[in-house]
Amino acid sequence: MRVALAGLTTRGRSFLAAGVAAGVCAYVLGQQDLLRVGLLLAALPLLCAVAVHRTRHRVTSSRTLTPVRVPTGAEARVRLRVDNVSRLPTGLLMLQDRVPYMLGPRPRFVLDRVQPGGQREVSYRVRPDLRGRYPLGPLELRLADPFGMCELTRSFAAHDMLTVVPQVEALPPVRLGRGAQGFGDGRQRSMAVGGEDDVLPRGYRYGDDLRRVHWRSTARYGELMVRREEQPHRARCTVLLDTRREAYRGAGPGSAFEWSVSGAASVLTHMLQRGYSVRLLTDTGTLVPGEAGASFGGAGVETAEAAGLLMDTLSVIGHSDGEGLTAAQEVLRRSGDGLLVAFLGALDEEQARTVARMRHRTNGALAFLPEDDEEDAEPDFPVDPGAAAAAPDTERVLREAGWTVVRAPRGASMAAVWRQADQQRTGLVDGGERR
């Protein structure tokens, strides 16, 4: 009752005060009719408070996100559903959903009374401009009686998470030269020599198809032998993302770091679609999926699951406090076969030599160096005056080690620089020329 009485509106308190005053006057003056009026005035807000309080615990809500993962700049629809599970109709309902300020103002809705067992649905849209994970909710529900005597607020405990992934750009299916064996075709090579199946037999297991029985091996070993299933070999690709705070200038959607994150997402998605096994590696030595030296995503797990895990990781990835790329080099030294695609920030001479050594065990190495506009990008750390002058030497060190280096101007299309990397490797353009 204390909660219910605390929800009385100004009108309800006025009616209650008038009823008490009428009752006192009726007692003093001995007027029975006035006492009846006072009881009616006092009972009406109390009855409304009890009814709203009972309804407060008999209203449920649910939230649906479409889609759960949304790229930056795209819209997501949020549907709210309110069910009245009580035997009494509700009064006026006012809904307010909590959303982070990055997604805009809090949406508010006003609903008429909901009949017993009835439901109402409302929806709103959000359009995030920054990647991340944003909590939606909990939903706040304000109930009021038809007479406006009482208003109670209920806050539901449930909330949902909206994942905003980096913008993924469709990339053209290029081969990037002969150095990356199998690049761009996603073919699976069987271990078999004379056909689709591996001729190496194995012992029969319960449930094996009898049509796969290898009779020559059965006669040779004296027991039932079957042909092994096809064992495909998948080409591999490692995407290295430099997250060092000191390697980038500026912040926000148009910064070089955000371009690198979006580019890494585009390459990972493209390579998965082309049939590659992929993994994401950061400058700190963190591998996704798996621990150091673990297998690539897309082979041991389903491609859709691998893509979801990689996108979830990129949605929340931020700057690291590291100063070098030695940890990433150590991971690649242990398991660095396949194609290597790197998105790098500013490098000094020592860091450039570290990156150059990553090329040794790979089939091909591509480096994308995003640029920030000097006028728009304010550094968040002390900048070495000789860093800009050392940039050409950094590119030279990487190219001499066999890297394909492409500089990406601010706002450049990932598809364009991807195609430019292919042209550089095939000799169609000069290695230092921009397009």
Side-chain angles (χ1 to χ4, degrees):
M1 286 301 299
R2 181 180 302 177
V3 175
L5 293 177
L8 289 176
T9 62
T10 303
R11 180 184 300 178
R13 295 176 187 273
S14 300
F15 268 66
L16 183 60
V20 173
V24 172
C25 293
Y27 176 77
V28 173
L29 300 175
Q31 296 290 330
Q32 294 295 327
D33 294 336
L34 184 59
L35 179 60
R36 295 188 184 95
V37 173
L39 291 176
L40 178 61
L41 293 176
L44 183 59
L46 295 178
L47 292 176
C48 291
V50 172
V52 173
H53 183 70
R54 287 173 58 87
T55 306
R56 176 172 178 262
H57 296 281
R58 305 291 292 175
V59 176
T60 62
S61 73
S62 61
R63 182 186 296 101
T64 304
L65 304 181
T66 308
V68 178
R69 292 189 184 96
V70 59
T72 55
E75 286 188 347
R77 179 183 290 273
V78 184
R79 290 185 174 88
L80 301 175
R81 175 176 170 177
V82 177
D83 295 272
N84 181 17
V85 295
S86 69
R87 297 181 180 180
L88 298 175
T90 66
L92 192 66
L93 299 180
M94 288 167 282
L95 307 180
Q96 177 177 274
D97 204 14
R98 294 184 182 179
V99 299
Y101 71 92
M102 292 80 71
L103 302 183
R106 293 184 177 182
R108 297 176 180 177
F109 306 92
V110 178
L111 303 179
D112 294 332
R113 59 186 297 173
V114 182
Q115 297 298 327
Q119 64 184 33
R120 294 291 179 85
E121 287 190 3
V122 294
S123 64
Y124 63 92
R125 296 177 180 270
V126 292
R127 186 167 186 163
D129 294 326
L130 292 174
R131 58 185 177 84
R133 290 173 61 85
Y134 300 99
L136 300 180
L139 177 66
E140 292 182 353
L141 177 63
R142 180 175 296 179
L143 301 97
D145 64 281
F147 301 101
M149 299 289 180
C150 181
E151 289 184 358
L152 291 179
T153 301
R154 178 181 179 184
S155 180
F156 295 90
H159 68 277
D160 295 274
M161 196 69 65
L162 176 66
T163 302
V164 182
V165 300
Q167 187 71 39
V168 176
E169 188 173 350
L171 304 181
V174 299
R175 293 186 59 87
L176 292 177
R178 300 180 179 84
Q181 184 176 0
F183 180 81
D185 54 13
R187 296 176 180 172
Q188 295 181 343
R189 295 168 296 179
S190 174
M191 296 176 61
V193 177
E196 295 183 353
D197 298 324
D198 188 356
V199 296
L200 296 178
R202 61 169 175 81
Y204 175 81
R205 299 171 186 169
Y206 178 77
D208 285 340
D209 191 349
L210 292 179
R211 289 175 296 182
R212 304 190 65 83
V213 174
H214 195 261
W215 297 109
R216 291 185 180 179
S217 299
T218 299
R220 177 180 179 183
Y221 291 100
E223 59 177 325
L224 202 58
M225 307 292 289
V226 297
R227 297 189 297 269
R228 293 183 181 179
E229 299 287 345
E230 181 182 3
Q231 299 182 4
H233 175 82
R234 297 168 63 96
R236 296 181 173 183
C237 174
T238 301
V239 176
L240 172 62
L241 179 60
D242 184 5
T243 64
R244 294 173 298 128
R245 188 182 306 275
E246 65 176 16
Y248 296 94
R249 294 174 170 232
S255 64
F257 179 69
E258 292 299 326
W259 188 92
S260 297
V261 174
S262 178
S266 301
V267 173
L268 289 169
T269 302
H270 176 75
M271 303 306 283
L272 278 173
Q273 294 173 348
R274 303 294 293 176
Y276 275 67
S277 295
V278 300
R279 64 179 178 178
L280 173 66
L281 175 65
T282 66
D283 57 289
T284 60
T286 303
L287 271 175
V288 180
E291 301 175 355
S295 61
F296 289 63
V301 296
E302 296 294 335
T303 301
E305 295 179 359
L309 176 60
L310 292 168
M311 292 300 105
D312 288 345
T313 302
L314 290 174
S315 68
V316 296
I317 199 168
H319 288 292
S320 69
D321 296 326
E323 298 181 355
L325 297 162
T326 306
Q329 180 200 4
E330 181 62 23
V331 173
L332 291 172
R333 186 184 64 83
R334 295 193 300 266
S335 57
D337 56 328
L339 179 68
L340 176 60
V341 181
F343 292 86
L344 305 172
L347 301 173
D348 57 24
E349 186 176 354
E350 179 180 357
Q351 294 165 352
R353 288 196 296 266
T354 301
V355 174
R357 289 192 291 269
M358 298 179 185
R359 171 68 177 87
H360 294 167
R361 295 191 58 186
T362 63
N363 294 334
L366 314 175
F368 297 99
L369 306 178
E371 297 178 346
D372 267 320
D373 288 344
E374 297 295 334
E375 298 180 357
D376 299 336
E378 293 295 335
D380 298 330
F381 53 89
V383 179
D384 184 4
D393 294 335
T394 298
E395 296 182 30
R396 177 182 54 80
V397 171
L398 295 180
R399 287 195 174 97
E400 289 178 352
W403 284 77
T404 299
V405 183
V406 179
R407 283 199 167 270
R410 183 180 176 90
S413 169
M414 183 61 206
V417 296
W418 184 255
R419 189 177 294 105
Q420 181 180 347
D422 172 55
Q423 293 173 344
Q424 288 191 16
R425 288 184 61 83
T426 54
L428 295 180
V429 297
D430 179 62
E433 178 184 342
R434 297 186 187 179
R435 294 190 60 178

